[in-house]
Amino acid sequence: MADQNAVNLFLVISTIALWGIVICLTGIHIREFWKKRTQLTALVLNEQGKIRDEYLLGKQKEILIGKSTPAKMVHIDFSDSAYAGSIQEEHASFLRYGSCWYICAKAEKSMVGLRQSGGEVVYKLRRNIPYRIQSGDIVFISYEKIVIQ
C-alpha cells in the first residue's frame, strides 16, 4: 500500500511539473509572437530601390511622416526628397493601437498609397482613416516608397 501511495504521489508531482514546463514554454512563445507583431521596420527606399533609411516601429504610439520645419520636427523626413514639393509638412503617420500598426494620411491633399503584401493594386488612402499595415506592405508617400518588414 505504501508503494502505491508513493507511485501516485510521484505521478501527481510529475504531472504538475510537466504542466508547469508547458505553461512556461507557452508563455515564452506567446511573448515572442507579440513582440514580433509589434516590432515592424519601415524601410525608406531611394530612387534605385536601395534602403536609404530604416525606422523601427517599436513602442512609440505615432511616427510622423513629412518634412521637418523649425516649428515641427517629423520622424521620417522627406525634406531632401526629389518629390519634396508634393509632400506636406505633416503628410502621414504610422500609428500603433495595441499590438497593430496603421498608416494614416494627415494632409488635406496628400497622396498616400498602400499596396498590401502580395497585392498589385495601390489603394489611395483617405484622410484621417487608419489602415492596418503588416510585413510586406508598401506605403507610398507621394512617389517615395516605404517597405514594411
Side-chain angles (χ1 to χ4, degrees), residues 36-90:
K36 286 179 183 174
R37 276 189 78 184
T38 58
Q39 288 190 353
L40 293 175
T41 303
L43 304 174
V44 179
L45 305 182
N46 63 17
E47 291 81 21
Q48 291 79 30
K50 296 189 179 181
I51 298 171
R52 185 180 86 185
D53 287 315
E54 186 174 325
Y55 300 91
L56 179 64
L57 306 182
K59 297 187 185 250
Q60 310 96 315
K61 294 210 181 265
E62 180 177 19
I63 296 176
L64 190 58
I65 304 166
K67 295 188 298 190
S68 287
T69 63
K72 184 73 171 179
M73 298 299 290
V74 298
H75 299 96
I76 300 177
D77 189 5
F78 288 109
S79 297
D80 60 349
S81 165
Y83 307 105
S86 63
I87 297 175
Q88 306 288 320
E89 291 174 4
E90 289 189 26

Side-chain angles (χ1 to χ4, degrees), residues 111-115 122 138-146:
M111 190 170 102
V112 180
L114 175 64
R115 183 169 68 205
V122 176
I138 299 176
V139 174
F140 295 89
I141 304 297
S142 183
Y143 294 101
E144 297 285 351
K145 285 184 185 178
I146 302 175

Side-chain angles (χ1 to χ4, degrees), residues 91-93 95 103-114 122-131 140:
H91 199 87
S93 63
L95 304 168
I103 182 73
C104 184
K106 295 184 77 112
E108 180 122 4
K109 295 183 179 180
S110 65
M111 190 170 102
V112 180
L114 175 64
V122 176
Y123 298 97
K124 185 177 187 305
L125 306 187
R126 295 177 61 195
R127 183 174 180 230
N128 293 327
I129 297 176
Y131 295 84
F140 295 89

Side-chain angles (χ1 to χ4, degrees), residues 1-13:
M1 190 70 158
D3 287 339
Q4 184 64 32
N5 286 340
V7 169
N8 287 341
L9 182 60
F10 174 76
L11 290 173
V12 167
I13 291 172

